[in-house]
Amino acid sequence: PYTTLFRSNPDDDLDDILERGSSKKTALTEFFVANANANPLYAEARQITYQEFPQKFTWDKSAKKWSPRKNKLFALGRMYFASPAAGERFYLRTLLTVATGPTSFEDLRTVNGQVCATFKAACLAQGLLQDDNEWVQCLQEASEMRVGPELRSLFATILLHCNPTLPEDLWQQFREHICSDLAHRISWIYPA
């Protein structure tokens, strides 16, 4: 039911993704509606995460709405997997596993009263993502002993296999070291 929100290109604009998701009644958008509902039957909704929701509420596919669970049988909620390479979808999913009672996508991105521009920024503000200190330290040590080609290889390995949180910041901090030999190489290949 909520796969339409997750079926998008990682490069899609965040506003387009949210618009697509909010224009349809999905399990996710109706989760927000249930959290905003003042009816005492939904009071418990504001105390649990999205993945815990099916334990207390049932999804009616035809009516496209959540209703309080009548039987107290145990139920599992299932969320679709999103890899870190999925961009904002991954960060949205991460927030849904920890946030209790969000009433909208904007509310989900709000941390300490501040609305974050992206789900990734909200994850960072909540401390849900590792910082890049280990990669900073790794590149710092390597830049003291290695030159361009080795640093470029290391940087590429970090980007491809280690999922740094802010790769652009790593680039800005170490680009001079990573590219230190390029001026010499270019002048050797293309003499003036």
Side-chain angles (χ1 to χ4, degrees):
Y2 55 87
T3 56
T4 55
L5 177 67
F6 290 108
R7 281 191 199 141
S8 60
N9 184 324
D11 297 325
D12 283 353
D13 181 62
L14 176 61
D15 293 329
D16 292 343
I17 294 170
L18 295 178
E19 180 62 32
R20 247 192 333 259
S22 64
S23 66
K24 299 177 181 159
K25 281 187 166 188
T26 66
L28 179 56
T29 59
E30 292 303 300
F31 164 71
F32 294 143
V33 170
N35 285 327
N37 193 326
N39 185 328
L41 289 174
Y42 290 90
E44 194 171 16
R46 293 179 286 282
Q47 309 303 316
I48 56 179
T49 65
Y50 184 59
Q51 69 185 24
E52 297 167 330
F53 214 71
Q55 294 173 14
K56 307 291 180 182
F57 297 86
T58 59
W59 174 248
D60 182 341
K61 287 182 184 179
S62 59
K64 295 195 176 206
K65 78 177 248 179
W66 289 100
S67 301
R69 187 173 281 283
K70 294 192 184 354
N71 64 23
K72 300 299 178 190
L73 297 175
F74 180 76
L76 281 177
R78 180 180 60 140
M79 291 175 60
Y80 289 97
F81 173 76
S83 90
E88 282 296 287
R89 287 178 291 163
F90 171 76
Y91 302 111
L92 167 62
R93 185 183 187 283
T94 300
L95 289 170
L96 288 170
T97 64
V98 297
T100 56
T103 57
S104 66
F105 290 108
E106 182 176 297
D107 189 29
L108 194 59
R109 292 191 332 264
T110 303
V111 181
N112 298 326
Q114 296 290 325
V115 179
C116 298
T118 63
F119 295 119
K120 181 179 183 179
C123 286
L124 281 168
Q126 288 190 29
L128 299 175
L129 302 178
Q130 294 179 358
D131 60 24
D132 290 334
N133 285 339
E134 62 189 306
W135 310 126
V136 168
Q137 183 179 357
C138 177
L139 287 165
Q140 184 66 47
E141 290 175 8
S143 67
E144 293 170 5
M145 297 181 275
R146 302 289 181 207
V147 291
E150 290 107 349
L151 289 177
R152 285 191 290 280
S153 178
L154 175 61
F155 187 66
T157 299
I158 290 171
L159 293 178
L160 289 171
H161 302 289
C162 303
N163 295 319
T165 305
L166 298 170
E168 55 282 348
D169 288 357
L170 287 176
W171 168 252
Q172 290 300 325
Q173 189 171 350
F174 293 99
R175 67 182 178 184
E176 288 181 26
H177 296 288
I178 292 169
C179 300
S180 64
D181 66 320
L182 293 181
H184 173 70
R185 289 175 145 239
I186 290 171
S187 67
W188 186 69
I189 294 172
Y190 302 105

